[in-house]
Amino acid sequence: MARRLATGAFAAIGGLTAAVALLTGIHAARADELSDLRASQELLQKRLDQLSQAPPPGAPAPSYVPGFGPQAPGAGAGAPIVTGSFPRSFLIPGTDTSLRIGGYANGRFIYRIQGAAPAGQLNSQGGQPNQTFEDGLGGTGNLASIPLNNSIAHSRSSAFTISGRESRLLFDARTPTAWGQARAYIELDFSFNNTNVVYSNNEASTNSALTRFRKGYAVLGGLEAGQDTGIMHDPDADPELVDFGGQATSNGRGRSAQVKYTYAGPYGTVWTGGIENPVPRLNGPFGQVDMDTEQIPNIAACSVTGGGSTLTTLTPATNACLGSNAFFSPLKNGWPELIGTARVNQPWGHLQVGGVVRVDQLNDGQYLDKSYVGYGGTISGDAHPFSGTPGPWSKDDLGFGVCLGTQIGNQCANGMGVVTNFGANLFVPGFGIVNPLTNSQWNTTNSATRKAYDAVVSAQSPTSTGGWIWYQHWWTDNLRSTVDVSAIWNAANTNILLTGGVSNTTNNKLLTQTYANLFWSPVAFIDFGSEFGWGHRVTVNNFKGDQFTLEGLMRVRF
């Protein structure tokens, strides 16, 4: 035994001696490597020390920091990353701010069996894909522009597209303060639409889909300012759909710039009041126009010849010949839209009511200056009919809503604004029929013709009535289906909209949309979906259009 120990000792001493000899003989560059190794060891030791400072489970609450709320666990310089204050968030080291980075990657295919909106090809009788609408057939997508059954575009209206434009990215930061929670939220996707841009070879080489600002708002306690879901909108009363275009109508706007205050009351009540950025809307002889509608050059609709040999000698009437309904828009946004909602949340579901008052102003800078007040209300909610029942049926959900008003604009999606015949051919006493596109005096500032024309301009506040109902059934814990029906009816004065013999095909009095789908979630954050949709459109002069669509979806959330 002693001999073995002696042998081991001699071996160890010999190995150490050899190592020392080797180290003393290495090149100077090897010394630098040893320095790097020591630095890495020191950095590792510091990291271990930081982790050891994290509070163990069940530790007492950290001390209160005046003006900033409770100090976050491990806050301070060099603190380790720990779980944040809300799901999927982490604590930013050295602060008490919790941050979540999330969103989803989205891929969908859309087969428009019939009803793809016309695009720019073949004298504007071609079908999609284009960049004008959302990737969908619903209310913010293709629905309002279904080609009419008597048009050339109708016979060309089948189309297939694959898209990932709706993939989404969000940043959500929350910090406790003595004034309540402070929050900063930003959300982006790539579904930007611009009807004024000419896209070429957009699908065959590099897709030019641009980043789109969806939401961005600041919160302190109950006060919020920025762009968020519309105050009157009720997301919990929306169905789960594959289609990104959504229903034919809904209450409030999907997103809107706003300032609001929210108060959480007793018995599950929530009260919200605020103002939204005004979005005046008119419906005229040339179609529907919002305040932000741009002029789109289109010589195909132009019937006026030039007044000279050069561009500088063209008359204003000739320059007006753009084939754009926006040219005849005297809209002015003078006042924000006032909105309030009240909501009650209960284990069986929720119920929400809301109201809005808004103003559309017509002002052409000459003799037309009128304001028209619009108003409306909504009721929406959802209920779980089998709540408490064992099995997946307990998650079944029934949703519903109505939205109605006078001159309510897009506070009821696809509702009408003020109806006017401004820009149409009008009979003007003393001047006969005045056509704004051919009458140069109409474009002459403060002319007698313009004064007489503005005096006979008519306007009306139309009514809009919309509603929706849906049911979601859970077949298993990861397999579910939704059936949804929605519609909106706009009652407008057709004598105004059809003034001058204009064949109006862009103002809709009826829009309906029906969906039936199936979703499968193999894991909680992954969705596969398939959906059939049918849409129907009727214009104010009773022309009709129909669309039938199959859609598929794959989405991974993070």
Side-chain angles (χ1 to χ4, degrees):
M1 183 67 179
R3 181 177 298 175
R4 290 178 184 174
L5 292 174
T7 303
F10 283 124
I13 294 172
L16 179 61
T17 302
V20 171
L22 178 61
L23 290 173
T24 56
I26 61 175
H27 192 269
R30 302 288 293 169
D32 292 337
E33 294 182 9
L34 288 175
S35 298
D36 293 341
L37 179 60
R38 293 191 188 97
S40 298
Q41 291 175 336
E42 292 174 359
L43 182 61
L44 177 60
Q45 186 61 50
K46 289 181 179 179
R47 179 60 178 157
L48 291 173
D49 292 340
Q50 290 172 1
L51 292 174
S52 67
Q53 296 172 8
S63 59
Y64 179 78
V65 180
F68 296 90
Q71 186 178 12
I81 296 177
V82 296
T83 302
S85 62
F86 62 100
R88 298 187 181 184
S89 68
F90 63 90
L91 197 68
I92 300 176
T95 74
D96 51 3
T97 297
S98 299
L99 175 66
R100 182 196 169 197
I101 301 174
Y104 60 73
N106 195 76
R108 72 170 63 246
F109 76 82
I110 307 173
Y111 177 44
R112 297 172 175 85
I113 303 170
Q114 174 184 302
Q121 297 187 9
L122 195 65
N123 192 23
S124 297
Q125 299 295 331
Q128 284 188 334
N130 63 36
Q131 301 292 322
T132 304
F133 307 110
E134 304 283 8
D135 290 332
L137 60 151
T140 60
N142 190 72
L143 179 63
S145 299
I146 299 173
L148 301 174
N149 294 338
N150 61 344
S151 69
I152 296 174
H154 175 73
S155 62
R156 292 174 43 89
S157 62
S158 61
F160 186 93
T161 58
I162 301 175
S163 175
R165 294 196 306 159
E166 294 123 34
S167 298
R168 188 174 302 176
L169 183 64
L170 65 86
F171 303 88
D172 190 352
R174 307 183 192 183
T175 307
T177 79
W179 296 83
Q181 179 175 257
R183 185 181 185 190
Y185 185 94
I186 297 176
E187 183 177 305
L188 310 169
D189 71 3
F190 307 91
S191 193
F192 175 78
N193 303 309
N194 192 340
T195 56
N196 298 326
V197 174
V198 177
Y199 294 92
S200 179
N201 204 25
N202 189 44
E203 303 297 329
S205 54
T206 301
N207 191 295
S208 58
L210 302 177
T211 304
R212 178 177 67 163
F213 173 64
R214 284 179 54 86
K215 295 182 180 180
Y217 55 86
V219 177
L220 180 59
L223 181 65
E224 178 181 326
Q227 180 160 304
D228 194 5
T229 302
I231 298 174
M232 203 165 74
H233 187 57
D234 182 4
D236 293 327
D238 290 341
E240 183 182 30
L241 301 175
V242 173
D243 187 71
F244 196 64
Q247 302 178 98
T249 191
S250 62
N251 48 358
R253 299 174 180 137
R255 291 174 301 280
S256 179
Q258 61 191 261
V259 178
K260 67 180 181 183
Y261 187 85
T262 301
Y263 171 73
Y267 309 110
T269 59
V270 180
W271 309 83
T272 302
I275 56 175
E276 286 188 1
N277 194 53
V279 185
R281 168 174 287 182
L282 71 79
N283 292 80
F286 299 94
Q288 180 172 286
V289 184
D290 290 312
M291 184 66 192
D292 57 356
T293 303
E294 301 285 347
Q295 287 186 178
I296 306 170
N298 182 1
I299 61 173
C302 182
S303 59
V304 180
T305 57
S309 59
T310 65
L311 181 62
T312 56
T313 61
L314 294 177
T315 66
T318 305
N319 293 335
C321 186
L322 297 174
S324 170
N325 51 9
F327 177 81
F328 295 106
S329 170
L331 284 173
K332 179 176 180 291
N333 55 342
W335 297 96
E337 301 183 12
L338 180 64
I339 306 170
T341 64
R343 175 184 176 117
V344 58
N345 298 307
Q346 296 295 323
W348 51 262
H350 84 285
L351 185 68
Q352 177 173 307
V353 297
V356 59
V357 177
R358 59 186 302 277
V359 176
D360 289 327
Q361 292 180 271
L362 302 181
N363 186 322
D364 67 352
Q366 299 192 55
Y367 302 102
L368 178 63
D369 186 9
K370 297 181 180 180
S371 296
Y372 302 86
V373 177
Y375 52 90
T378 177
I379 301 175
S380 58
D382 79 310
H384 302 279
F386 304 109
S387 179
T389 302
W393 279 46
S394 63
K395 296 188 288 186
D396 278 24
D397 201 5
L398 172 67
F400 59 90
V402 295
C403 186
L404 64 162
T406 297
Q407 193 191 306
I408 199 169
N410 63 356
Q411 289 292 353
C412 287
N414 286 311
M416 280 189 171
V418 61
V419 171
T420 180
N421 56 9
F422 181 85
N425 302 341
L426 300 181
F427 175 78
V428 180
F431 296 88
I433 299 296
V434 175
N435 183 345
L437 282 178
T438 60
N439 191 307
S440 61
Q441 287 299 307
W442 189 89
N443 280 282
T444 301
T445 303
N446 299 327
S447 69
T449 301
R450 186 57 172 267
K451 184 176 182 178
Y453 182 94
D454 284 358
V456 298
V457 167
S458 299
Q460 174 237 3
S461 295
T463 60
S464 300
T465 304
W468 62 97
I469 187 169
W470 53 269
Y471 188 82
Q472 182 178 64
H473 174 63
W474 288 75
W475 305 98
T476 67
D477 286 331
N478 60 5
L479 192 67
R480 59 203 182 273
S481 294
T482 298
V483 176
D484 170 63
V485 179
S486 60
I488 185 168
W489 175 274
N490 295 307
N493 188 329
T494 55
N495 291 327
I496 294 177
L497 287 176
L498 303 179
T499 298
V502 177
S503 180
N504 191 295
T505 60
T506 57
N507 286 304
N508 298 304
K509 69 178 180 182
L510 174 64
L511 295 171
T512 67
Q513 186 69 54
T514 302
Y515 296 105
N517 63 41
L518 179 67
F519 275 89
W520 175 53
S521 298
V523 295
F525 58 92
I526 299 177
D527 297 319
F528 291 90
S530 61
E531 185 171 85
F532 172 78
W534 169 57
H536 183 64
R537 170 194 180 202
V538 182
T539 66
V540 294
N541 50 359
N542 293 317
F543 288 106
K544 299 176 177 64
D546 292 276
Q547 64 178 355
F548 301 92
T549 306
L550 291 175
E551 295 188 66
L553 170 73
M554 178 180 177
R555 177 169 55 216
V556 177
R557 298 186 296 274
F558 63 93

